[in-house]
């Protein structure tokens, strides 16, 4: 949970640094740019999610060679995809702004932020793989150290570029890119220490086994479904951001402020989901149904309690936190009017986040894909129906999206449970 709590601090630091300038257009530009970057980068979120489940299953099966191989494959794949994205940004950026609603000032700020973030793409995607590998091994402390280091560097760079050099939204993007490259170096060092003495020699000795055809086929098969699932969910948040942009600069900026609360609660509650990923993956590697059921029960209980606590915390502390994030009076007022709906997200969204963890740990990519596609289609339909309600309807539709996702994944849960063979637990 501590490790996950630091993840959204990158976005929060970006928002606070630019929000304290009082420039609503710049804040909205970062909001729009973040939507684009999240969509592009998290399209390859399987580098984190697929790595966790497959690494945990290799650990549960006692296959140390495969654990090492998963690290190398993840780092290589993340870096290569990142380099490709950097090269293709000349086409990606114009296409993204052609789809999302904005305005001249808004688009200018967002373009500066997005262009800067692409410099960090190779490192950012490789870090996804590193974090997934750490979580698969249950090395949450290593993930915590990595996230804290990245956030500290990001905050210092943001302050320098925006407040000292006056670089605006672009400065925020460059600060985050620098933090991502720093995290890759730090994370690689931590990974080698986790593997222990002789890790590099052991990796070299594996040679061609690192790129074993069957292992790569399974990696891409699982990750292709997770990739489609991720794109579907990113489409939900892109639609949400575009719905805010359609209402104007101030509503978009207000939604971005409120989404920082959603981001913190989602990432912290994902700490339980990530625990489920690791424990579920290990249970399946052992072929132990009792371990599977125990992991599901314990993470479910803690997730429900934490979701309620976050809902109460956002409702009670929200007005003060909004005032800290932005100086703009209009944005503060708009965000305050929608706070009650934001407070409901961690409570209503908790089951969906937990189910994600369970199915990612089980590497059930097809179930994740189908559930996400169904939930996204239902969300868009709900949003269209709620448009007469304005900004309130936008948030009600978002809440409904979590319900659709939980119901869709829940339909697959009995089959997953039955598929785990009963067998004696192995040490």
């Amino acid at each position: 949970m501590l490790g996950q709590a630091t993840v959204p601090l990158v976005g929060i630091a970006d928002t606070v640094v630019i929000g304290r300038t009082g420039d609503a257009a710049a804040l909205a530009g970062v909001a729009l740019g973040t939507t684009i970057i999240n969509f592009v980068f998290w399209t390859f979120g399987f580098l984190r999610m697929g790595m966790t489940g497959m690494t945990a299953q290799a650990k549960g099966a006692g296959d140390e060679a495969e654990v090492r191989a998963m690290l190398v494959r993840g780092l290589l794949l993340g870096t290569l995809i990142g380099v490709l994205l950097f090269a293709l940004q000349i086409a990606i950026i114009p296409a993204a702004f052609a789809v999302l609603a904005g305005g001249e000032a808004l688009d200018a700020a967002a373009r500066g932020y997005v262009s800067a973030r692409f410099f960090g793409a190779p490192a950012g995607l490789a870090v996804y793989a590193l974090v997934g590998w750490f979580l698969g091994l249950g090395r949450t402390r290593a993930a915590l150290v990595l996230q804290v280091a990245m956030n500290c560097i990001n905050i210092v760079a943001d302050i320098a570029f925006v407040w000292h050099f006056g670089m605006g939204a672009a400065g925020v993007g460059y600060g985050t890119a620098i933090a991502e490259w720093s995290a890759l170096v730090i994370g690689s060092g931590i990974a080698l220490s986790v593997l222990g003495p002789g890790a590099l020699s052991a990796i070299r000795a594996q040679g061609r086994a690192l790129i074993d055809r069957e292992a790569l086929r399974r990696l891409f098969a699982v990750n292709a479904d997770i990739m489609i699932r991720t794109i579907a969910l990113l489409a939900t948040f892109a639609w949400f951001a575009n719905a805010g942009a359609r209402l104007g600069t101030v509503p978009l900026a207000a939604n971005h402020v409120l989404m920082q609360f959603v981001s913190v609660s989602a990432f912290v509650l994902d700490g339980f989901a990530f625990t489920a990923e690791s424990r579920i993956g290990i249970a399946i590697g052992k072929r132990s149904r009792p371990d599977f059921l125990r992991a599901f029960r314990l993470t479910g209980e803690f997730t429900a309690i934490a979701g309620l606590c976050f809902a109460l915390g956002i409702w009670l502390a929200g007005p003060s936190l909004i005032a800290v994030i932005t100086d703009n009076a209009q944005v503060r007022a708009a965000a305050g009017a929608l706070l009650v709906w934001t407070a409901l997200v961690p409570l209503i969204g908790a089951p969906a986040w937990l189910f994600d963890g369970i199915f990612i740990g089980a590497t059930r990519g097809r179930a994740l894909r189908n559930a996400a596609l169904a939930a996204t289609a239902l969300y868009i339909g709900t949003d269209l129906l709620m448009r007469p309600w304005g900004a309130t309807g936008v948030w009600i539709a978002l809440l409904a999206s979590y319900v659709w996702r939980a119901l869709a994944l829940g339909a697959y849960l009995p089959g997953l449970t039955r598929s785990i063979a009963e067998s004696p637990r192995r040490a």
Side-chain angles (χ1 to χ4, degrees), residues 116-150:
R117 284 295 306 273
F118 269 101
F119 283 99
L125 296 188
V127 168
Y128 286 176
L130 272 172
V131 172
W133 188 78
F134 288 139
L135 293 173
L137 294 178
R139 297 281 186 153
T140 52
R141 186 172 297 176
L144 170 61
V145 171
L146 178 59
Q147 295 292 352
V148 168
M150 184 166 68

mmCIF file of all heavy atoms in Angstrom, residues 116-150:
data_model
loop_
_atom_site.group_PDB
_atom_site.id
_atom_site.type_symbol
_atom_site.label_atom_id
_atom_site.label_comp_id
_atom_site.label_asym_id
_atom_site.label_seq_id
_atom_site.Cartn_x
_atom_site.Cartn_y
_atom_site.Cartn_z
ATOM 1 N N ALA A 116 7.141 16.497 -24.388
ATOM 2 C CA ALA A 116 8.188 16.294 -23.388
ATOM 3 C C ALA A 116 8.122 14.895 -22.791
ATOM 4 O O ALA A 116 9.153 14.247 -22.563
ATOM 5 C CB ALA A 116 8.063 17.351 -22.289
ATOM 6 N N ARG A 117 6.922 14.388 -22.546
ATOM 7 C CA ARG A 117 6.769 13.073 -21.930
ATOM 8 C C ARG A 117 7.281 11.941 -22.829
ATOM 9 O O ARG A 117 7.736 10.904 -22.337
ATOM 10 C CB ARG A 117 5.303 12.820 -21.574
ATOM 11 C CG ARG A 117 4.785 13.554 -20.346
ATOM 12 C CD ARG A 117 5.472 13.114 -19.060
ATOM 13 N NE ARG A 117 5.417 11.683 -18.862
ATOM 14 C CZ ARG A 117 4.419 11.043 -18.265
ATOM 15 N NH1 ARG A 117 3.386 11.735 -17.797
ATOM 16 N NH2 ARG A 117 4.456 9.736 -18.100
ATOM 17 N N PHE A 118 7.223 12.122 -24.144
ATOM 18 C CA PHE A 118 7.681 11.065 -25.043
ATOM 19 C C PHE A 118 9.183 10.804 -24.910
ATOM 20 O O PHE A 118 9.656 9.718 -25.247
ATOM 21 C CB PHE A 118 7.324 11.390 -26.490
ATOM 22 C CG PHE A 118 5.990 10.847 -26.921
ATOM 23 C CD1 PHE A 118 4.882 11.675 -26.988
ATOM 24 C CD2 PHE A 118 5.839 9.509 -27.233
ATOM 25 C CE1 PHE A 118 3.641 11.174 -27.371
ATOM 26 C CE2 PHE A 118 4.608 8.990 -27.616
ATOM 27 C CZ PHE A 118 3.502 9.835 -27.680
ATOM 28 N N PHE A 119 9.942 11.783 -24.408
ATOM 29 C CA PHE A 119 11.362 11.553 -24.193
ATOM 30 C C PHE A 119 11.597 10.478 -23.127
ATOM 31 O O PHE A 119 12.645 9.827 -23.121
ATOM 32 C CB PHE A 119 12.058 12.855 -23.779
ATOM 33 C CG PHE A 119 12.315 13.794 -24.915
ATOM 34 C CD1 PHE A 119 11.473 14.858 -25.162
ATOM 35 C CD2 PHE A 119 13.403 13.598 -25.757
ATOM 36 C CE1 PHE A 119 11.698 15.725 -26.217
ATOM 37 C CE2 PHE A 119 13.642 14.460 -26.823
ATOM 38 C CZ PHE A 119 12.788 15.527 -27.053
ATOM 39 N N GLY A 120 10.634 10.309 -22.238
ATOM 40 C CA GLY A 120 10.778 9.305 -21.194
ATOM 41 C C GLY A 120 10.152 7.970 -21.529
ATOM 42 O O GLY A 120 10.177 7.051 -20.696
ATOM 43 N N ALA A 121 9.606 7.810 -22.750
ATOM 44 C CA ALA A 121 8.863 6.588 -23.091
ATOM 45 C C ALA A 121 9.675 5.301 -22.929
ATOM 46 O O ALA A 121 9.199 4.343 -22.309
ATOM 47 C CB ALA A 121 8.305 6.696 -24.519
ATOM 48 N N PRO A 122 10.907 5.201 -23.461
ATOM 49 C CA PRO A 122 11.643 3.936 -23.302
ATOM 50 C C PRO A 122 11.860 3.570 -21.841
ATOM 51 O O PRO A 122 11.680 2.406 -21.440
ATOM 52 C CB PRO A 122 12.969 4.205 -24.018
ATOM 53 C CG PRO A 122 12.666 5.302 -24.991
ATOM 54 C CD PRO A 122 11.658 6.163 -24.289
ATOM 55 N N ALA A 123 12.233 4.548 -21.040
ATOM 56 C CA ALA A 123 12.481 4.274 -19.620
ATOM 57 C C ALA A 123 11.180 3.993 -18.887
ATOM 58 O O ALA A 123 11.107 3.078 -18.062
ATOM 59 C CB ALA A 123 13.189 5.468 -18.981
ATOM 60 N N GLY A 124 10.134 4.766 -19.186
ATOM 61 C CA GLY A 124 8.858 4.597 -18.484
ATOM 62 C C GLY A 124 8.273 3.211 -18.685
ATOM 63 O O GLY A 124 7.786 2.579 -17.731
ATOM 64 N N LEU A 125 8.332 2.687 -19.907
ATOM 65 C CA LEU A 125 7.777 1.364 -20.178
ATOM 66 C C LEU A 125 8.659 0.261 -19.589
ATOM 67 O O LEU A 125 8.146 -0.773 -19.135
ATOM 68 C CB LEU A 125 7.602 1.159 -21.678
ATOM 69 C CG LEU A 125 6.601 2.104 -22.363
ATOM 70 C CD1 LEU A 125 6.363 1.671 -23.802
ATOM 71 C CD2 LEU A 125 5.282 2.176 -21.615
ATOM 72 N N ALA A 126 9.964 0.459 -19.586
ATOM 73 C CA ALA A 126 10.849 -0.516 -18.942
ATOM 74 C C ALA A 126 10.602 -0.559 -17.430
ATOM 75 O O ALA A 126 10.655 -1.627 -16.814
ATOM 76 C CB ALA A 126 12.309 -0.176 -19.236
ATOM 77 N N VAL A 127 10.300 0.591 -16.843
ATOM 78 C CA VAL A 127 9.998 0.636 -15.405
ATOM 79 C C VAL A 127 8.699 -0.112 -15.110
ATOM 80 O O VAL A 127 8.560 -0.744 -14.058
ATOM 81 C CB VAL A 127 9.924 2.097 -14.906
ATOM 82 C CG1 VAL A 127 9.334 2.182 -13.498
ATOM 83 C CG2 VAL A 127 11.313 2.724 -14.919
ATOM 84 N N TYR A 128 7.719 -0.066 -16.029
ATOM 85 C CA TYR A 128 6.513 -0.877 -15.857
ATOM 86 C C TYR A 128 6.891 -2.336 -15.634
ATOM 87 O O TYR A 128 6.371 -3.016 -14.746
ATOM 88 C CB TYR A 128 5.627 -0.804 -17.108
ATOM 89 C CG TYR A 128 4.857 0.469 -17.331
ATOM 90 C CD1 TYR A 128 4.093 0.650 -18.476
ATOM 91 C CD2 TYR A 128 4.881 1.502 -16.403
ATOM 92 C CE1 TYR A 128 3.376 1.809 -18.707
ATOM 93 C CE2 TYR A 128 4.172 2.670 -16.624
ATOM 94 C CZ TYR A 128 3.425 2.822 -17.784
ATOM 95 O OH TYR A 128 2.715 3.968 -17.996
ATOM 96 N N ALA A 129 7.801 -2.841 -16.498
ATOM 97 C CA ALA A 129 8.215 -4.245 -16.401
ATOM 98 C C ALA A 129 8.936 -4.516 -15.092
ATOM 99 O O ALA A 129 8.716 -5.559 -14.448
ATOM 100 C CB ALA A 129 9.107 -4.607 -17.586
ATOM 101 N N LEU A 130 9.787 -3.592 -14.669
ATOM 102 C CA LEU A 130 10.504 -3.760 -13.403
ATOM 103 C C LEU A 130 9.544 -3.856 -12.229
ATOM 104 O O LEU A 130 9.673 -4.738 -11.365
ATOM 105 C CB LEU A 130 11.452 -2.575 -13.191
ATOM 106 C CG LEU A 130 12.854 -2.679 -13.779
ATOM 107 C CD1 LEU A 130 13.575 -1.347 -13.644
ATOM 108 C CD2 LEU A 130 13.651 -3.783 -13.099
ATOM 109 N N VAL A 131 8.576 -2.944 -12.178
ATOM 110 C CA VAL A 131 7.614 -2.945 -11.076
ATOM 111 C C VAL A 131 6.797 -4.234 -11.082
ATOM 112 O O VAL A 131 6.570 -4.849 -10.022
ATOM 113 C CB VAL A 131 6.689 -1.711 -11.160
ATOM 114 C CG1 VAL A 131 5.555 -1.811 -10.141
ATOM 115 C CG2 VAL A 131 7.485 -0.432 -10.923
ATOM 116 N N GLY A 132 6.359 -4.672 -12.270
ATOM 117 C CA GLY A 132 5.610 -5.923 -12.365
ATOM 118 C C GLY A 132 6.420 -7.109 -11.877
ATOM 119 O O GLY A 132 5.894 -8.004 -11.198
ATOM 120 N N TRP A 133 7.704 -7.135 -12.202
ATOM 121 C CA TRP A 133 8.586 -8.220 -11.774
ATOM 122 C C TRP A 133 8.747 -8.226 -10.262
ATOM 123 O O TRP A 133 8.666 -9.273 -9.614
ATOM 124 C CB TRP A 133 9.930 -8.061 -12.474
ATOM 125 C CG TRP A 133 10.890 -9.197 -12.289
ATOM 126 C CD1 TRP A 133 10.868 -10.408 -12.924
ATOM 127 C CD2 TRP A 133 12.026 -9.217 -11.423
ATOM 128 N NE1 TRP A 133 11.935 -11.182 -12.502
ATOM 129 C CE2 TRP A 133 12.655 -10.481 -11.588
ATOM 130 C CE3 TRP A 133 12.575 -8.292 -10.533
ATOM 131 C CZ2 TRP A 133 13.807 -10.838 -10.886
ATOM 132 C CZ3 TRP A 133 13.722 -8.645 -9.832
ATOM 133 C CH2 TRP A 133 14.315 -9.903 -10.006
ATOM 134 N N PHE A 134 8.965 -7.043 -9.683
ATOM 135 C CA PHE A 134 9.085 -6.950 -8.221
ATOM 136 C C PHE A 134 7.811 -7.448 -7.536
ATOM 137 O O PHE A 134 7.857 -8.203 -6.560
ATOM 138 C CB PHE A 134 9.350 -5.500 -7.789
ATOM 139 C CG PHE A 134 10.727 -4.996 -8.103
ATOM 140 C CD1 PHE A 134 10.919 -3.706 -8.578
ATOM 141 C CD2 PHE A 134 11.840 -5.800 -7.922
ATOM 142 C CE1 PHE A 134 12.191 -3.228 -8.865
ATOM 143 C CE2 PHE A 134 13.124 -5.332 -8.209
ATOM 144 C CZ PHE A 134 13.298 -4.044 -8.689
ATOM 145 N N LEU A 135 6.668 -7.024 -8.048
ATOM 146 C CA LEU A 135 5.399 -7.418 -7.430
ATOM 147 C C LEU A 135 5.154 -8.909 -7.572
ATOM 148 O O LEU A 135 4.616 -9.546 -6.666
ATOM 149 C CB LEU A 135 4.251 -6.621 -8.051
ATOM 150 C CG LEU A 135 4.251 -5.119 -7.771
ATOM 151 C CD1 LEU A 135 3.162 -4.416 -8.573
ATOM 152 C CD2 LEU A 135 4.073 -4.830 -6.282
ATOM 153 N N GLY A 136 5.527 -9.484 -8.705
ATOM 154 C CA GLY A 136 5.359 -10.914 -8.901
ATOM 155 C C GLY A 136 6.156 -11.730 -7.905
ATOM 156 O O GLY A 136 5.729 -12.815 -7.490
ATOM 157 N N LEU A 137 7.301 -11.208 -7.488
ATOM 158 C CA LEU A 137 8.129 -11.893 -6.498
ATOM 159 C C LEU A 137 7.712 -11.557 -5.069
ATOM 160 O O LEU A 137 8.284 -12.096 -4.118
ATOM 161 C CB LEU A 137 9.604 -11.496 -6.694
ATOM 162 C CG LEU A 137 10.274 -11.949 -7.999
ATOM 163 C CD1 LEU A 137 11.704 -11.436 -8.059
ATOM 164 C CD2 LEU A 137 10.242 -13.460 -8.124
ATOM 165 N N GLY A 138 6.728 -10.657 -4.925
ATOM 166 C CA GLY A 138 6.331 -10.227 -3.592
ATOM 167 C C GLY A 138 7.317 -9.252 -2.976
ATOM 168 O O GLY A 138 7.317 -9.027 -1.761
ATOM 169 N N ARG A 139 8.185 -8.642 -3.801
ATOM 170 C CA ARG A 139 9.193 -7.697 -3.319
ATOM 171 C C ARG A 139 8.619 -6.285 -3.326
ATOM 172 O O ARG A 139 9.070 -5.400 -4.065
ATOM 173 C CB ARG A 139 10.430 -7.766 -4.203
ATOM 174 C CG ARG A 139 11.119 -9.124 -4.182
ATOM 175 C CD ARG A 139 11.968 -9.277 -2.938
ATOM 176 N NE ARG A 139 12.756 -10.498 -2.959
ATOM 177 C CZ ARG A 139 13.909 -10.645 -2.319
ATOM 178 N NH1 ARG A 139 14.396 -9.642 -1.624
ATOM 179 N NH2 ARG A 139 14.541 -11.796 -2.370
ATOM 180 N N THR A 140 7.621 -6.076 -2.489
ATOM 181 C CA THR A 140 6.939 -4.783 -2.496
ATOM 182 C C THR A 140 7.824 -3.665 -1.942
ATOM 183 O O THR A 140 7.656 -2.505 -2.301
ATOM 184 C CB THR A 140 5.649 -4.867 -1.666
ATOM 185 O OG1 THR A 140 5.953 -5.399 -0.365
ATOM 186 C CG2 THR A 140 4.636 -5.780 -2.343
ATOM 187 N N ARG A 141 8.764 -4.024 -1.074
ATOM 188 C CA ARG A 141 9.663 -2.988 -0.554
ATOM 189 C C ARG A 141 10.554 -2.440 -1.663
ATOM 190 O O ARG A 141 10.829 -1.229 -1.708
ATOM 191 C CB ARG A 141 10.515 -3.563 0.575
ATOM 192 C CG ARG A 141 11.369 -2.507 1.278
ATOM 193 C CD ARG A 141 12.036 -3.081 2.516
ATOM 194 N NE ARG A 141 11.030 -3.491 3.496
ATOM 195 C CZ ARG A 141 11.322 -4.097 4.636
ATOM 196 N NH1 ARG A 141 12.578 -4.381 4.938
ATOM 197 N NH2 ARG A 141 10.368 -4.445 5.468
ATOM 198 N N ALA A 142 10.995 -3.310 -2.564
ATOM 199 C CA ALA A 142 11.799 -2.848 -3.696
ATOM 200 C C ALA A 142 10.985 -1.913 -4.585
ATOM 201 O O ALA A 142 11.481 -0.885 -5.059
ATOM 202 C CB ALA A 142 12.298 -4.051 -4.503
ATOM 203 N N ALA A 143 9.711 -2.273 -4.818
ATOM 204 C CA ALA A 143 8.836 -1.401 -5.612
ATOM 205 C C ALA A 143 8.638 -0.060 -4.915
ATOM 206 O O ALA A 143 8.590 0.992 -5.560
ATOM 207 C CB ALA A 143 7.487 -2.087 -5.834
ATOM 208 N N LEU A 144 8.535 -0.078 -3.581
ATOM 209 C CA LEU A 144 8.375 1.156 -2.814
ATOM 210 C C LEU A 144 9.586 2.063 -2.982
ATOM 211 O O LEU A 144 9.450 3.263 -3.246
ATOM 212 C CB LEU A 144 8.164 0.826 -1.336
ATOM 213 C CG LEU A 144 8.210 2.003 -0.348
ATOM 214 C CD1 LEU A 144 7.118 3.003 -0.653
ATOM 215 C CD2 LEU A 144 8.088 1.508 1.088
ATOM 216 N N VAL A 145 10.781 1.500 -2.825
ATOM 217 C CA VAL A 145 12.010 2.295 -2.968
ATOM 218 C C VAL A 145 12.079 2.923 -4.354
ATOM 219 O O VAL A 145 12.400 4.109 -4.507
ATOM 220 C CB VAL A 145 13.250 1.418 -2.708
ATOM 221 C CG1 VAL A 145 14.535 2.169 -3.072
ATOM 222 C CG2 VAL A 145 13.295 0.983 -1.246
ATOM 223 N N LEU A 146 11.747 2.139 -5.366
ATOM 224 C CA LEU A 146 11.793 2.635 -6.740
ATOM 225 C C LEU A 146 10.811 3.781 -6.948
ATOM 226 O O LEU A 146 11.154 4.826 -7.533
ATOM 227 C CB LEU A 146 11.491 1.488 -7.700
ATOM 228 C CG LEU A 146 11.442 1.833 -9.199
ATOM 229 C CD1 LEU A 146 12.765 2.417 -9.655
ATOM 230 C CD2 LEU A 146 11.102 0.591 -10.014
ATOM 231 N N GLN A 147 9.581 3.614 -6.468
ATOM 232 C CA GLN A 147 8.561 4.650 -6.653
ATOM 233 C C GLN A 147 8.901 5.918 -5.878
ATOM 234 O O GLN A 147 8.705 7.035 -6.372
ATOM 235 C CB GLN A 147 7.188 4.117 -6.220
ATOM 236 C CG GLN A 147 6.668 2.973 -7.072
ATOM 237 C CD GLN A 147 6.310 3.406 -8.489
ATOM 238 O OE1 GLN A 147 6.301 4.585 -8.802
ATOM 239 N NE2 GLN A 147 6.033 2.437 -9.335
ATOM 240 N N VAL A 148 9.393 5.770 -4.657
ATOM 241 C CA VAL A 148 9.757 6.949 -3.859
ATOM 242 C C VAL A 148 10.877 7.729 -4.544
ATOM 243 O O VAL A 148 10.833 8.966 -4.637
ATOM 244 C CB VAL A 148 10.179 6.536 -2.437
ATOM 245 C CG1 VAL A 148 10.833 7.705 -1.698
ATOM 246 C CG2 VAL A 148 8.968 6.052 -1.649
ATOM 247 N N ALA A 149 11.885 7.019 -5.037
ATOM 248 C CA ALA A 149 12.996 7.683 -5.721
ATOM 249 C C ALA A 149 12.499 8.437 -6.957
ATOM 250 O O ALA A 149 12.868 9.602 -7.191
ATOM 251 C CB ALA A 149 14.046 6.646 -6.124
ATOM 252 N N MET A 150 11.636 7.797 -7.754
ATOM 253 C CA MET A 150 11.125 8.435 -8.964
ATOM 254 C C MET A 150 10.304 9.680 -8.625
ATOM 255 O O MET A 150 10.425 10.710 -9.293
ATOM 256 C CB MET A 150 10.286 7.447 -9.774
ATOM 257 C CG MET A 150 9.800 8.029 -11.105
ATOM 258 S SD MET A 150 9.154 6.784 -12.262
ATOM 259 C CE MET A 150 7.672 6.274 -11.415
#
